Amino acid sequence: MRWIVLCLGVFGCAGLGANARDLGQWDAVEPAIRQWYQALMQPDVPNASCCGEADAYWADQVHVRDGKTYAVISDDRPDAPRGRPHIESGTEIEIPNNKLKWDKSNPTGHGIVFLSRTGYVFCYVQPSGA
């Protein structure tokens, strides 16, 4: 059963346009943080992964305007090693309420939004300590 859930999570990301992939982006990541990324599940689809570092952008600022939540991209890391499209720092991303993830601590020290290549929001994880 666990294998089925894992497969659904991986294929769930692929089916929504994300290209979860291993391009060596995990090579320099601490094992505990790598494990955190790999275990993170979507709040509204608990059997589907938020995807991984290749789909993750730092978004340290979050605010609410007119009842909608927005995260502001603050990621200055190079995109090429992560195999992701570039999103300019300062870009606001609307985060649907069902994609706000509040049930896990975040050991990265950054708010993180997980996006597909088409801009679909998989998850937003608030910045917090380990």
Side-chain angles (χ1 to χ4, degrees):
M1 180 66 166
R2 187 173 182 180
W3 176 250
I4 292 170
V5 170
L6 178 62
C7 287
L8 288 174
V10 169
F11 289 105
C13 285
L16 291 172
N19 293 320
R21 58 219 168 268
D22 184 357
L23 302 170
Q25 68 269 25
W26 298 113
D27 294 347
V29 177
E30 292 177 36
I33 291 179
R34 176 181 344 160
Q35 184 178 25
W36 177 81
Y37 270 109
Q38 294 171 341
L40 208 55
M41 299 302 212
Q42 295 181 38
D44 60 333
V45 187
N47 294 331
S49 170
C50 284
C51 292
E53 191 188 19
D55 309 296
Y57 296 85
W58 291 344
D60 294 320
Q61 206 177 28
V62 63
H63 60 273
V64 177
R65 184 174 63 242
D66 298 326
K68 296 180 180 181
T69 303
Y70 296 87
V72 180
I73 300 295
S74 57
D75 204 329
D76 59 357
R77 299 173 297 169
D79 297 309
R82 290 166 182 77
R84 65 182 187 187
H86 181 70
I87 298 178
E88 282 295 320
S89 191
T91 301
E92 278 190 344
I93 306 292
E94 183 180 340
I95 311 296
N97 288 337
N98 62 323
K99 295 300 183 177
L100 294 167
K101 185 136 182 88
W102 303 104
D103 64 340
K104 291 281 185 187
S105 64
N106 177 347
T108 69
H110 294 278
I112 300 176
V113 62
F114 294 84
L115 299 170
S116 74
R117 292 184 169 276
T118 60
Y120 177 83
V121 175
F122 292 113
C123 305
Y124 175 77
V125 184
Q126 67 183 353
S128 68

